[in-house]
Amino acid sequence: MFTTRPEIAATFGAVGSTHWIASQVAMAVLERGGNAFDAAAAAGFTLQIAEPHLNGPLGDCPIIVHDAASGRQSVICGQGPAPEALSVARVKGELGLDLIPGTGLLPAMVPGAFDAWATMLQSWGSWKLGDVLEFAIGYAERGIHYVPRIAATVESVRPLFEQEWPTSAALWLRDGGPRAGQLWRNPTLAETYRRVVREAEAAGGDRVAQIEAARRAWYQGFVAEAIDAFCRRTEVLDASGRRHAGLLTGQDMARWRAPVEAPLAYDYRGVTVLKCGPWSQGPAMLQTLAILAGFDLAGMDPLGVEYVHTVVEAMKLGFADREAYYGDPDFTDVPMAELLSEPYSQRRRGLIGRQASLELRPGGIPGHRAWVDHDAARRAQKLSEVAGVGEPTVSRLGVSGADTCHVDVIDRWGNMVSATPSGGWLQSSPAIPELGCCLGTRGQMFWLDESLPNGLRPGKRPRTTLSPGMALRDGRPWMAFGTPGGEQQDQWQPIMLTRMIDHGLTIQQAIDAPSFHTEHWPSSFWPRVARPGKVVLEGRFDAAVLKDLKARGHLAEMGGEWSEGRLSAVRREPDGQIFAGANPRGMQGYAVGR
């Protein structure tokens, strides 16, 4: 099968990520004696500089790690919770909003990315924080190459920055703004990280003590103070069309640390797939696999209508349960054991016939209310009918297409990392001038109903779309994988995985193969729309597949030829070889190794 580039084969170590610079940074750390945890963190901080429209220092970052020394896998929850002052009564009652806006300061959660990286480094890394941050600081000070999409993103929100967000204009529109193919510096962010390193090193020479001091600087010191002051003094226009201040405080930040949890797991044909808990959408992939386990996917053409139809219908059922049952398990009883059980999966499997379902069908579980949002399709229709809801209006309110980053690493000792940094996009919230970056807006994923599993409550984690993945084969650590893509993250990943397991494709073959997605269920992002039955095929599918899907009742359409998927992955085989692949779409993802 043709691939756009070779699947990288190595024995020393390998990296796959959404940006070639991040991949090279991680590989440089491995070459200098660092382990996978040091390498992934260095790549993660670098991605904040290289792709500021996709992630930022004040964003989020769930991570799955495999520690070769102990043989255990862990999830680091880099998804921060809601501020204590952010409540349904405040947002719905006092402010009169039906949805939390997708931009501005109101939806800001406690920023989780920094503590997630720090937790990983403190527990499993070997490098000092200053050495890990050296790459990101250097790029921020001297400049980093910008791909065209960054400049286009800045241009899309230029009117908002010029008219409403002056701190962002000062940072991102100086000297006319960034230009594709040229270098761009962020000296303010470089100084933020330099100050963190100075405060870390003031704690003495011990590596762990330095990381702990850096955490204090971020969550109790000058970073938290700048965030607190900016949220208190600033009211900004957001996606609601109104101006709101932020409710995030220094106290909210000081009381939080990234928890370390056991991953959820499902065994699919000898492969144990690991995902984050139901504070993420990751278990929807496990439910999809549990449903698909009863079908003979190996007997289907991986580019044929039967495969696409079966996978889409299984994903619809898994994501319907996401809508009905998932939320922060510290606040809600999520029946994950039942949702992943074979009797339940068998009942769900029986709902899949030859025709597409246009309904949102969560399963019924005794003692649990299966609420789903049935207004999402109506909101989508309303948006399509309202004049002026196109790009100019969207840009004026700061709602510009945003995505995510991903990085996977395996080192020579067998350690593995899968991390999905996101949030804190330059277009999501006004820049905090003292820090050179902005807050994230993950709070938009809450419903304004405390009784729901994903209903807003102070101190609660919003159900994020971020979803790194890891897999064991025959009980041995096998693969780290993931992708950007919002709702598509846990659609593209099971497609890749089943094509590898059921059809024998390599990583690169599975990534390059034409993919697809559905928009059947409510989006996690403001304004929370759904398009029931919609399926988008990548343009390289045979036209007959599109025709057959339509005949089965899917509202199917053909997208661009290289438009579906942002995947990367690294895997380790029993003979010690390490293989890696990365997405060619967008011409910036890369895998490296030796």
Side-chain angles (χ1 to χ4, degrees):
M1 178 183 290
F2 169 80
T3 58
T4 57
R5 73 275 302 267
E7 182 181 55
I8 299 297
T11 53
F12 177 81
V15 183
S17 87
T18 50
H19 199 291
W20 73 89
I21 292 177
S23 295
Q24 283 296 104
V25 163
M27 197 66 208
V29 173
L30 297 181
E31 296 284 5
R32 288 166 53 180
N35 62 26
F37 312 112
D38 306 316
F45 286 119
T46 299
L47 283 168
Q48 297 169 4
I49 315 301
E51 298 191 293
H53 61 315
L54 304 182
N55 76 137
L58 301 179
D60 327 294
C61 185
I63 307 171
I64 304 180
V65 303
H66 167 72
D67 173 35
S70 66
R72 290 196 297 266
Q73 299 82 42
S74 302
V75 166
I76 304 169
C77 176
Q79 175 55 64
E84 285 299 314
L86 188 66
S87 65
V88 171
R90 185 75 171 265
V91 177
K92 198 170 183 178
E94 295 180 27
L95 301 179
L97 298 175
D98 293 325
L99 293 171
I100 297 176
T103 61
L105 295 174
L106 192 61
M109 303 287 97
V110 173
F114 186 87
D115 204 59
W117 293 123
T119 296
M120 183 179 71
L121 287 171
Q122 203 168 30
S123 298
W124 295 285
S126 64
W127 277 24
K128 292 182 177 179
L129 183 64
D131 296 327
V132 170
L133 280 169
E134 169 193 333
F135 302 91
I137 292 172
Y139 280 120
E141 285 182 336
R142 296 187 296 273
I144 195 165
H145 175 92
Y146 267 5
V147 297
R149 184 59 188 163
I150 304 177
T153 299
V154 172
E155 284 304 309
S156 75
V157 288
R158 179 181 286 271
L160 175 73
F161 287 5
E162 291 176 334
Q163 299 165 24
E164 299 287 348
W165 293 4
T167 58
S168 291
L171 178 61
W172 293 107
L173 301 182
R174 72 179 194 274
D175 303 322
R179 288 177 287 279
Q182 297 189 8
L183 299 179
W184 184 260
R185 300 169 58 248
N186 189 340
T188 305
L189 180 55
E191 176 51 31
T192 295
Y193 276 135
R194 283 216 176 274
R195 182 171 174 183
V196 168
V197 172
R198 289 196 299 270
E199 297 199 18
E201 292 176 345
D206 181 73
R207 189 186 72 86
V208 172
Q210 286 187 2
I211 294 173
E212 190 60 32
R215 295 168 99 164
R216 288 195 299 272
W218 201 269
Y219 290 92
Q220 300 174 40
F222 79 97
V223 174
E225 291 167 2
I227 291 170
D228 186 300
F230 190 73
C231 286
R232 289 174 186 270
R233 71 174 183 253
T234 312
E235 286 193 351
V236 301
L237 182 73
D238 58 38
S240 70
R242 294 157 54 185
R243 290 174 177 81
H244 298 104
L247 298 176
L248 181 64
T249 68
Q251 286 184 326
D252 292 317
M253 295 186 63
R255 66 169 61 97
W256 182 80
R257 289 179 76 102
V260 178
E261 307 168 349
L264 288 179
Y266 178 76
D267 291 333
Y268 179 81
R269 310 201 206 284
V271 174
T272 304
V273 184
L274 306 180
K275 281 287 177 175
C276 301
W279 49 266
S280 80
Q281 71 177 14
M285 175 177 171
L286 303 184
Q287 285 196 249
T288 297
L289 293 173
I291 294 168
L292 291 175
F295 291 94
D296 180 21
L297 293 191
M300 302 177 188
D301 178 357
L303 299 180
V305 64
E306 197 67 35
Y307 174 84
V308 175
H309 169 78
T310 303
V311 172
V312 164
E313 293 301 301
M315 292 191 299
K316 287 179 182 178
L317 296 171
F319 275 84
D321 283 344
R322 180 197 77 167
E323 291 300 296
Y325 299 116
Y326 294 11
D328 184 347
D330 292 340
F331 286 78
T332 188
D333 178 19
V334 184
M336 280 314 313
E338 176 74 11
L339 292 170
L340 290 173
S341 70
E342 177 52 28
Y344 180 81
S345 301
Q346 186 174 5
R347 293 196 300 272
R348 302 292 277 159
R349 197 178 297 136
L351 296 175
I352 299 177
R354 286 192 58 79
Q355 291 299 116
S357 171
L358 300 184
E359 299 177 8
L360 191 60
R361 301 181 290 177
I365 296 181
H368 292 267
R369 173 190 174 200
W371 179 91
V372 292
D373 173 40
H374 289 294
D375 291 330
R378 179 187 58 80
R379 284 195 296 274
Q381 181 64 27
K382 184 177 179 181
L383 282 173
S384 69
E385 293 173 351
V386 175
V389 177
E391 186 65 26
T393 300
V394 165
S395 295
R396 180 178 69 83
L397 298 177
V399 184
S400 176
D403 212 326
T404 300
C405 306
H406 187 78
V407 59
D408 301 299
V409 185
I410 296 179
D411 65 23
R412 55 183 153 158
W413 300 285
N415 298 304
M416 297 185 184
V417 178
S418 174
T420 308
S422 187
W425 313 300
L426 68 87
Q427 66 274 26
S428 66
S429 187
I432 300 173
E434 299 91 339
L435 302 178
C437 54
C438 66
L439 289 162
T441 55
R442 196 67 58 178
Q444 66 184 289
M445 298 186 168
F446 279 123
W447 292 114
L448 292 177
D449 182 341
E450 289 187 356
S451 70
L452 300 178
N454 190 37
L456 171 63
R457 289 175 64 183
K460 186 177 182 180
R461 292 172 285 186
R463 188 203 67 213
T464 181
T465 54
L466 304 178
S467 187
M470 193 168 284
L472 317 179
R473 194 162 206 168
D474 300 323
R476 293 189 297 268
W478 180 49
M479 186 164 68
F481 59 92
T483 180
E487 307 293 313
Q488 281 85 264
Q489 290 184 35
D490 287 296
Q491 299 186 60
W492 293 331
Q493 290 180 69
I495 294 168
M496 180 190 80
L497 195 65
T498 56
R499 284 173 169 171
M500 293 181 68
I501 295 171
D502 291 296
H503 299 104
L505 271 61
T506 67
I507 289 174
Q508 196 61 51
Q509 288 172 338
I511 289 173
D512 282 354
S515 196
F516 52 91
H517 78 273
T518 176
E519 299 173 19
H520 181 76
W521 51 83
S523 169
S524 299
F525 296 89
W526 183 94
R528 312 300 295 270
V529 301
R531 297 174 176 86
K534 180 177 178 180
V535 176
V536 181
L537 295 178
E538 198 162 17
R540 292 172 292 133
F541 269 94
D542 193 291
V545 176
L546 179 65
K547 180 181 178 181
D548 290 347
L549 286 172
K550 289 181 176 180
R552 293 184 181 220
H554 295 279
L555 304 181
E557 62 186 57
M558 198 76 85
E561 289 194 352
W562 292 92
S563 57
E564 291 283 330
R566 309 286 184 272
L567 292 148
S568 65
V570 292
R571 77 179 197 273
R572 191 171 192 265
E573 296 295 348
D575 66 356
Q577 288 197 85
I578 302 168
F579 296 91
N583 169 54
R585 301 162 182 88
M587 299 181 293
Q588 64 183 68
Y590 244 87
V592 295
R594 76 160 178 88

